[in-house]
Amino acid sequence: MRHIALFSQTGSEIANLIDQGFTPTTILFDQKDDTKIDSRLNTDEIGHRIIKKNVKNIQYLRDCFGDPSTCFITLHGWLNIVPKEICDEYEIYNGHPGLITVYPELKGKDPQVRAFEGSYPIIGSVIHRVTPGVDEGEVIMSAKEYNNCSNLDQVFSVLKGISLSLWVDFFDSRYDNNV
């Protein structure tokens, strides 16, 4: 099974997963400015990195991903809506740093900021199937902890740790490290 990982920001989560032994076959990055990409991804040792901007073109995405029966896709800070046709054809999972199983209002962009500003007593992350609705797919895994954070940087740090643990568990249980 080929693993295709998509990101729009720094890619640090993917780099952390690679450090844990989970190396995607292909990494797709969609931003014009690649100067903020985690330096651990700037090597040919991890495989192929594709940098393109036309991520709303369904045929382009099909060409990047290939046969749906031979791959699965994970989103790590991907800031684009995946077209319905791609959601319907491919097995896609998203890591979301908002505990939407408890607080559905944290669906969408910047849940960490909203969780901090809303003084939620519990914070957490989920991995869910990607469907056409934003953060509407079935939650596959979740983890949470009491919110003892005194500032937004702490919230980001705690949620990054929770998310990384979830992804490691996800890959261990679902693909036996053969990604």
Side-chain angles (χ1 to χ4, degrees), residues 61-106:
L61 291 173
R62 285 180 178 137
D63 292 344
C64 283
F65 301 155
D67 182 351
S69 68
T70 64
C71 68
F72 69 99
I73 300 162
T74 59
L75 310 180
H76 306 270
W78 183 249
L79 300 178
N80 298 282
I81 302 297
V82 178
K84 178 186 181 323
E85 295 86 348
I86 299 298
C87 291
D88 292 343
E89 294 170 27
Y90 290 87
E91 180 181 356
I92 308 173
Y93 300 93
N94 181 44
H96 185 73
L99 194 58
I100 59 177
T101 53
V102 178
Y103 310 115
E105 66 272 20
L106 293 179

Side-chain angles (χ1 to χ4, degrees), residues 76-162:
H76 306 270
W78 183 249
L79 300 178
N80 298 282
I81 302 297
V82 178
K84 178 186 181 323
E85 295 86 348
I86 299 298
C87 291
D88 292 343
E89 294 170 27
Y90 290 87
E91 180 181 356
I92 308 173
Y93 300 93
N94 181 44
H96 185 73
L99 194 58
I100 59 177
T101 53
V102 178
Y103 310 115
E105 66 272 20
L106 293 179
K107 293 177 181 177
K109 192 171 184 302
D110 299 326
Q112 310 94 320
V113 174
R114 290 182 282 134
F116 178 71
E117 290 172 350
S119 300
Y120 290 86
I122 298 171
I123 57 175
S125 295
V126 303
I127 294 177
H128 66 86
R129 286 293 299 251
V130 174
T131 61
V134 175
D135 298 324
E136 292 291 331
E138 174 192 5
V139 173
I140 306 300
M141 302 178 91
S142 68
K144 62 186 177 186
E145 65 180 62
Y146 287 104
N147 183 1
N148 296 316
C149 301
S150 60
N151 61 55
L152 186 56
D153 287 340
Q154 286 180 335
V155 171
F156 273 97
S157 179
V158 167
L159 290 175
K160 283 180 181 183
I162 291 172

